[in-house]
Amino acid sequence: AYELVKRTNIRPIIIEQTDFVGGISRTVNYKGNRMDIGGHRFFSKSDRVMEWWMKILPLEYQENNSVSIQYHNKTSRLETGKRGADPEKVDRVMLIRKRLSRIYYLRRFFDYPIRLNGSTIKNLGLIRIIKIGVSYFLNRIKPIRKEENLEDFFINRFGKELYLTFFKDYTEKVWGVTCKEISPEWGAQRIKGLSVSKALLHGLRSVFSKESDIKQKQTETSLIDRFLYPKFGPGHLWEEVAKEIKLCGGEIIFGQEAVELNLIDKKIISVVSRKVDTDELICYNPDMVFSTMPVKDLILGMKGEIPNELRDIADGLIYRDFITVGILLNKMNPQKIKEYEGMNRVPDNWIYIQESDVKVGRIQVFNNWSPYLLASQDKVWLGLEYFCNEGDELWLMSDEDLKKMGMDELIKIGLADRADFLDGTVVRVPKTYPAYFGSYSRFIEIRQFTDKIENLFLIGRNGMHKYNNQDHSMLTAMTVVDNLISGEKSKAAIWSVNTEDEYHEETGSN
């Protein structure tokens, strides 16, 4: 919508089911303590996206000029220095944050990605390290030629022993199915070029030099050590964007759910929405439709010339749902690890919980994303992330039981004491992760059908049933507007965003 109001004469009307903007990139405010749902590092290999973010929220002022934000010398306004914004004085500011994510396994912290250093050897033990090394090199000599599933993808890049140690249990906790049931395309989009060899090379490079450019163009996304972050979390940025859209003549209608799209002669002639609070139906007659709603709901809500088998494919699309349990503490207790003596928390942005005796999959330490997310700086604000299916036992658990379970699990794995618990809240998010199993193997048929609808454009994560980060989702929307301005009819460029070439060809997307 922002691109449309800034670059075209098209007037966008956004029909939003909820009462907030940002989707899962929103910020939830609980008694002045703000939550980032899922954790959003503002980092992209795309100059266009990085510049777009900093146009909305100016970069913070840096005391020294060690962090340079330059884009082919096109502009100096993106450099740090006196022109930067001071987060202590203004709210519209993009912070520069250090990135630290680690794995918690065997009640110990491991670098993520794994580094072959003294701490890792000590934590894993020499015998397990040798098995991991032998497994990796054997697999390099004789890799799996045809990757049939996500397990094959992981083993080819990390070796079977490392896969079993650090990837299998966590991934299956996230998705609720075995790695053998998930398409390797998920790995191609989420992990991309990361491998043991690249992690080792990154480690060696970091010993001898520091990359001062926040773009970190030569660094795999999983290895970046700095990122941008809005002062009040991801929703802060999208709230600013929403203000600008409305100022420029766009309209945002909250509390309406799109329930029906009428298709005639390869065009959407009307969209019917339902007011969430009153069930009143409202009909719109748009010239164009841009959909970020789940593909499953889009296809099942279509009326007109649509084959029944396409509805069957849509009905078989699967989503993984998400619960964040916010826990406010006086302090953490990272097993009284000596290096954290005198500190009230660990320095991680988030921690991957590999332990099989708890359900929590990941823990965010919101203090380390932005200190401005907290109502009180001397407290610790955590987000415990649980993966589930809408309607299952975990999803239906009461808020009080979820908060109790979250605190019990923190205590069990040694990261908190019960005496330090202050407060908590629960946020449920349906259809967070589009799954690469179920009827996904036939998704290409949905794409081929929707691509022929002249005035329908699928964009974003759920809109394309594609596990994109927010920068990739943004690029799909930008590409749509590029095509409209240039008169390009093909939608291939939209689908090519965040697609590895090898899988691009195999799915017939070219």
Side-chain angles (χ1 to χ4, degrees):
Y2 181 94
E3 292 285 295
L4 288 171
V5 297
K6 292 293 186 180
R7 301 172 60 200
T8 77
N9 293 321
I10 297 169
R11 175 176 171 264
I13 300 173
I14 300 171
I15 301 173
E16 170 57 56
Q17 180 178 349
T18 67
D19 58 359
F20 52 82
V21 295
I24 62 170
S25 298
R26 74 185 191 270
T27 302
V28 176
N29 191 332
Y30 176 71
K31 298 180 181 178
N33 295 299
R34 293 174 168 87
M35 301 171 64
D36 180 345
I37 304 301
H40 290 81
R41 293 188 312 238
F42 282 69
F43 166 80
S44 179
K45 294 295 182 72
S46 166
D47 289 356
R48 184 178 186 180
V49 170
M50 293 285 280
E51 291 178 1
W52 198 98
W53 282 332
M54 287 183 283
K55 180 169 61 177
I56 305 300
L57 294 178
L59 198 68
E60 74 168 315
Y61 167 73
Q62 294 287 292
E63 224 16 88
N64 57 43
N65 214 16
S66 62
V67 180
S68 173
I69 314 292
Q70 296 185 30
Y71 294 84
H72 316 300
N73 296 317
K74 287 189 291 188
T75 175
S76 61
R77 67 183 173 82
L78 298 178
E79 296 175 4
T80 61
K82 292 182 180 178
R83 282 180 286 252
D86 184 350
E88 288 296 312
K89 297 178 180 178
V90 297
D91 289 340
R92 289 190 66 251
V93 59
M94 188 74 82
L95 309 178
I96 298 175
R97 306 300 293 165
K98 289 183 179 179
R99 182 261 195 186
L100 176 63
S101 302
R102 288 185 294 177
I103 297 168
Y104 195 65
Y105 177 57
L106 304 173
R107 303 311 198 248
R108 299 183 180 98
F109 285 100
F110 291 84
D111 291 331
Y112 177 78
I114 295 296
R115 291 181 172 87
L116 190 59
N117 53 27
S119 174
T120 301
I121 294 171
K122 179 182 176 183
N123 286 343
L124 282 177
L126 187 58
I127 293 175
R128 192 181 270 122
I129 285 287
I130 292 171
K131 288 172 70 177
I132 287 171
V134 170
S135 170
Y136 174 71
F137 285 110
L138 285 176
N139 188 258
R140 298 302 294 169
I141 294 168
K142 192 176 180 180
I144 299 168
R145 292 298 175 189
K146 183 171 176 57
E147 295 176 358
E148 301 282 357
N149 51 55
L150 187 59
E151 179 169 288
D152 294 344
F153 178 93
F154 278 135
I155 291 173
N156 266 353
R157 282 149 188 81
F158 303 103
K160 187 170 185 178
E161 195 67 30
L162 192 59
Y163 157 69
L164 292 174
T165 303
F166 287 116
F167 291 92
K168 185 177 186 294
D169 289 346
Y170 176 79
T171 304
E172 293 179 357
K173 186 185 290 188
V174 171
W175 292 106
V177 298
T178 68
C179 290
K180 288 184 178 180
E181 298 174 72
I182 303 172
S183 166
E185 193 174 344
W186 179 86
Q189 286 186 215
R190 297 301 294 181
I191 298 173
K192 294 191 176 294
L194 181 63
S195 64
V196 169
S197 56
K198 287 194 176 181
L200 290 173
L201 284 171
H202 174 74
L204 287 172
R205 190 186 300 121
S206 64
V207 170
F208 297 103
S209 66
K210 292 291 183 183
E211 195 173 3
S212 63
D213 190 345
I214 194 70
K215 290 185 299 179
Q216 302 163 93
K217 280 292 190 71
Q218 304 305 314
T219 306
E220 291 297 331
T221 301
S222 297
L223 298 171
I224 64 163
D225 57 13
R226 283 167 292 124
F227 60 91
L228 305 180
Y229 197 72
K231 178 177 177 177
F232 296 125
H236 180 191
L237 180 132
W238 296 112
E239 288 156 12
E240 293 294 330
V241 172
K243 290 176 187 175
E244 190 66 20
I245 290 168
K246 288 188 281 188
L247 281 173
C248 294
E251 187 176 356
I252 304 175
I253 302 170
F254 293 101
Q256 286 190 28
E257 176 188 13
V259 293
E260 184 178 303
L261 293 90
N262 293 295
L263 175 65
I264 294 180
D265 295 331
K266 297 182 180 178
K267 280 192 174 183
I268 302 295
I269 62 165
S270 66
V271 174
V272 178
S273 70
R274 177 186 64 86
K275 285 190 175 182
V276 175
D277 56 350
T278 65
D279 286 335
E280 178 188 351
L281 297 179
I282 299 171
C283 185
Y284 299 87
N285 300 109
D287 296 306
M288 288 172 281
V289 176
F290 307 89
S291 175
T292 65
M293 68 189 289
V295 173
K296 181 173 189 169
D297 298 340
L298 175 81
I299 298 299
L300 294 179
M302 263 189 200
K303 309 296 181 186
E305 309 151 349
I306 177 167
N308 287 330
E309 63 181 26
L310 217 62
R311 297 186 192 278
D312 292 339
I313 297 169
D315 197 42
L317 291 176
I318 294 173
Y319 300 81
R320 193 68 164 153
D321 307 295
F322 189 77
I323 298 172
T324 299
V325 180
I327 298 288
L328 187 67
L329 301 170
N330 276 314
K331 65 179 185 301
M332 290 182 72
N333 172 33
Q335 287 200 339
K336 301 180 174 62
I337 298 172
K338 189 172 183 180
E339 64 181 293
Y340 302 125
E341 285 183 5
M343 298 170 60
N344 72 343
R345 66 184 188 274
V346 295
D348 306 68
N349 304 112
W350 63 49
I351 306 163
Y352 295 93
I353 306 300
Q354 184 73 7
E355 308 290 22
S356 59
D357 58 344
V358 291
K359 293 181 180 179
V360 63
R362 203 167 60 179
I363 297 173
Q364 289 195 71
V365 186
F366 293 121
N367 307 59
N368 300 330
W369 287 91
S370 167
Y372 304 99
L373 295 181
L374 279 81
S376 177
Q377 295 292 311
D378 62 344
K379 308 303 180 190
V380 176
W381 182 223
L382 304 179
L384 281 62
E385 300 176 352
Y386 292 89
F387 310 100
C388 59
N389 292 323
E390 190 174 358
D392 69 11
E393 181 182 358
L394 197 60
W395 182 267
L396 296 174
M397 192 179 291
S398 72
D399 288 3
E400 288 306 312
D401 286 343
L402 280 167
K403 287 184 281 187
K404 181 180 184 303
M405 182 180 73
M407 194 61 208
D408 288 346
E409 292 195 340
L410 283 174
I411 295 164
K412 186 174 186 178
I413 60 178
L415 293 180
D417 290 330
R418 194 173 304 279
D420 288 312
F421 175 79
L422 296 171
D423 200 357
T425 190
V426 174
V427 177
R428 293 172 178 81
V429 184
K431 293 185 174 64
T432 309
Y433 301 126
Y436 285 48
F437 46 93
S439 62
Y440 177 76
S441 61
R442 296 185 62 190
F443 183 79
I444 186 65
E445 296 175 48
I446 290 179
R447 180 195 154 174
Q448 289 168 344
F449 178 83
T450 56
D451 276 359
K452 292 175 183 175
I453 301 174
E454 297 173 17
N455 65 339
L456 175 65
F457 303 91
L458 307 189
I459 54 177
R461 177 183 284 195
N462 274 350
M464 304 173 78
H465 201 87
K466 193 173 179 182
Y467 197 163
N468 285 326
N469 284 328
Q470 66 169 339
D471 63 329
H472 299 126
S473 295
M474 291 170 63
L475 283 168
T476 63
M478 291 173 173
T479 303
V480 166
V481 178
D482 292 344
N483 285 358
L484 290 173
I485 291 171
S486 68
E488 175 61 59
K489 300 295 184 183
S490 170
K491 298 172 184 177
I494 305 165
W495 290 99
S496 69
V497 173
N498 189 29
T499 302
E500 295 288 81
D501 289 340
E502 57 189 294
Y503 293 98
H504 196 184
E505 293 175 9
E506 289 175 12
T507 55
S509 305
N510 278 338

